Amino acid sequence: MPTVIKGQPTSAEVIARLKVEDRPVLLAFSCGKDSLGAWCALRDAGIEVIPAYLWGVPHLGFVDEEIAHFETLFGCEIRQYPHPSFYRILNSCSAQTPPRVRAIAELDMAEPTYEQTWGAIKDDLGLPQDTWVADGVRAADSIVRRASFVRNGVMKRTTHKVSPIADMLKGELMELLGRHGVDLPMDYKLWGRSWDGTDYRFVEPMVREMPDEYAYLKRWWPLLDTELYRGRYIAQAVRSAQEGTAADTGYRRRNANEAKRRSIATDGASVMRVCFAKRRDLDKFCQSVGTEDMIVPHEAASSAFPETSDGRRAQRIAEPRLGRLERTPFASMEYTGDLQADSFSEAGLILKTMEDADRHPGGRAFTDTGLYRCIVFPSRDDMEGFCRRRRLLRFGFQFLDGSRWMATV
């Protein structure tokens, strides 16, 4: 029996409305079971589906294989475009080496919104801007999603987003996929869901099962090993959440513990890269923390460098001063007008620019160096507390001027 969503039409009614309009429907395709289910449900109604996959990293091997498989199964092309978060994550410099800070600044990558992305996709495909964009979101997945449907609707006419299987239960979904001969991709064996990022939940199994794919990800995010190191802190958070649940049956407390665990698991901004202008400054740091390893646990840094303040006084975070930047590499690109092809070309140029920066760091900012170490913290809050209590924010934050720091030690 389908889920009842208060004040909203059933999935059958939604699909009937789309059928009456007699127009193609864009599908936000993820290779996951829900988007596959939405595709099958629309196809059963005789509605033309135009699938589009938004990639978080271009040409990831197993994803390309899955897309090719579903193109054969459904007998149509699945167009691929960059996910808006691709540019946002790169601009944040998460898991990037210090020399890439300048390269990323020179690239000056815009961060499109979801609406802008789907608008550009519709233009690329020659579709009207009022074309519906379908997804596989279901109310049964969580209370939050059900509440969102009640509040915002299953068919959002202002953004032209529609969820055609919103009331479908998992059993119904799996039966639908079975009737269409659709098998779930290998993601579900490895992660229990479709691949969706580079946090610990996804990269730890990938290291064991897909080392070549992990090596490719490290070309984009060279310091991804720090995410593996954070696994020990994530395990601690999981144990803490479980102990809290066992000790307290309160609904709010259990939710708070789970939210904290998830926050730590997905916190990619908890790694400090300490940059050095001279080898002797790096040697002094390594001697202080007792290791020359690239990754330093925050416990070792906390022991090596005692607190100098209570951290309550406000401090302004110093950002790397990059000075005058070179002309953006995108200026040399020749665009074809094919959004898919041009996006892949841009991605190739981005990767080349970042890798060149690693080989030839240049400039006068403290991040323009190949001498650095990474201090890994359980969370961003822990990292900020470490800096505040040692008066280090004047030297940086996620990227910190280690030579200036060592001069005070």
Side-chain angles (χ1 to χ4, degrees):
M1 181 177 179
T3 305
V4 176
I5 306 174
K6 184 179 179 181
Q8 296 301 314
T10 65
S11 291
E13 291 170 337
V14 169
I15 292 174
R17 293 178 188 180
L18 294 174
K19 176 66 174 176
V20 168
E21 291 191 14
D22 193 26
R23 297 192 300 163
V25 172
L26 260 176
L27 174 66
F29 183 65
S30 67
C31 293
K33 68 180 189 302
D34 296 324
S35 64
L36 285 165
W39 195 341
C40 292
L42 292 169
R43 200 182 206 200
D44 279 348
I47 297 171
E48 181 184 356
V49 176
I50 302 177
Y53 179 87
L54 302 187
W55 44 260
V57 59
H59 293 312
L60 191 56
F62 74 92
V63 172
D64 281 350
E65 290 175 6
E66 291 172 358
I67 288 176
H69 168 74
F70 289 121
E71 285 180 328
T72 300
L73 182 66
F74 287 99
C76 71
E77 180 186 12
I78 300 173
R79 300 281 285 180
Q80 299 186 52
Y81 303 96
H83 196 286
S85 66
F86 170 71
Y87 302 102
R88 175 179 54 78
I89 293 172
L90 287 179
N91 281 335
S92 74
C93 292
S94 175
Q96 299 294 352
T97 61
R100 293 191 176 196
V101 173
R102 179 178 296 278
I104 290 170
E106 288 176 346
L107 285 163
D108 192 25
M109 291 175 283
E111 298 179 15
T113 64
Y114 279 95
E115 290 73 21
Q116 290 170 335
T117 296
W118 284 110
I121 291 172
K122 291 173 186 179
D123 285 342
D124 185 59
L125 297 173
L127 297 172
Q129 285 299 309
D130 63 352
T131 299
W132 288 102
V133 179
D135 59 36
V137 178
R138 296 181 299 115
D141 281 347
S142 70
I143 294 175
V144 173
R145 287 188 170 178
R146 183 197 294 256
S148 176
F149 281 138
V150 172
R151 182 174 61 252
N152 301 314
V154 173
M155 298 185 78
K156 306 173 183 67
R157 293 198 173 273
T158 54
T159 58
H160 299 99
K161 291 179 65 177
V162 60
S163 301
I165 59 169
D167 64 4
M168 189 174 287
L169 298 175
K170 184 177 179 180
E172 298 173 288
L173 174 64
M174 300 310 293
E175 190 274 334
L176 174 63
L177 296 179
R179 281 195 287 108
H180 282 261
V182 177
D183 293 325
L184 296 182
M186 55 79 59
D187 306 43
Y188 286 83
K189 294 180 181 179
L190 200 57
W191 300 297
R193 55 171 296 175
S194 55
W195 182 76
D196 189 31
T198 57
D199 64 61
Y200 180 80
R201 300 169 301 165
F202 295 100
V203 299
E204 192 279 329
M206 186 179 284
V207 170
R208 291 184 281 104
E209 305 293 337
M210 308 169 70
D212 290 342
E213 308 284 28
Y214 182 70
Y216 175 66
L217 286 182
K218 284 189 64 175
R219 291 183 62 192
W220 285 94
W221 295 282
L223 302 182
L224 206 52
D225 286 348
T226 58
E227 192 63 24
L228 299 175
Y229 197 89
R230 283 199 326 114
R232 66 180 66 186
Y233 304 130
I234 295 170
Q236 292 171 2
V238 170
R239 286 195 296 271
S240 176
Q242 291 172 341
E243 291 169 359
T245 301
D248 191 330
T249 58
Y251 178 78
R252 289 186 177 180
R253 180 65 61 85
R254 291 200 306 273
N255 273 4
N257 287 333
E258 177 60 21
K260 180 180 179 182
R261 183 201 67 78
R262 177 175 174 79
S263 175
I264 292 176
T266 58
D267 188 353
S270 57
V271 178
M272 178 192 297
R273 283 135 290 183
V274 187
C275 311
F276 303 94
K278 299 177 181 178
R279 181 73 207 190
R280 67 170 179 264
D281 298 327
L282 171 58
D283 291 341
K284 184 176 181 180
F285 173 84
C286 291
Q287 185 177 11
S288 298
V289 297
T291 179
E292 294 189 2
D293 292 345
M294 175 59 70
I295 299 176
V296 178
H298 79 97
E299 298 93 340
S302 297
S303 298
F305 306 107
E307 298 178 7
T308 59
S309 72
D310 60 12
R312 288 180 294 181
R313 187 176 177 183
Q315 301 175 47
R316 179 178 297 178
I317 298 174
E319 299 292 341
R321 296 182 179 180
L322 301 176
R324 184 173 181 177
L325 299 175
E326 297 293 332
R327 187 183 184 193
T328 174
F330 289 135
S332 64
M333 263 201 62
E334 295 185 6
Y335 289 90
T336 66
D338 182 320
L339 185 59
Q340 175 179 257
D342 289 342
S343 297
F344 281 134
S345 295
E346 281 191 350
L349 181 58
I350 291 169
L351 182 58
K352 180 180 184 303
T353 300
M354 294 192 301
E355 290 185 324
D356 285 348
D358 284 330
R359 287 188 285 267
H360 308 289
R364 304 175 68 176
F366 68 81
T367 50
D368 297 316
T369 178
L371 302 174
Y372 59 91
R373 289 295 184 269
C374 300
I375 305 177
V376 181
F377 296 84
S379 70
R380 181 186 175 95
D381 288 343
D382 292 309
M383 186 167 75
E384 185 170 354
F386 174 88
C387 289
R388 288 193 181 280
R389 288 189 290 272
R390 289 160 181 80
R391 304 288 297 168
L392 293 178
L393 291 178
R394 64 191 188 277
F395 301 145
F397 184 43
Q398 288 187 291
F399 293 88
L400 189 139
D401 189 336
S403 288
R404 290 183 63 197
W405 179 16
M406 290 301 100
T408 68
V409 174

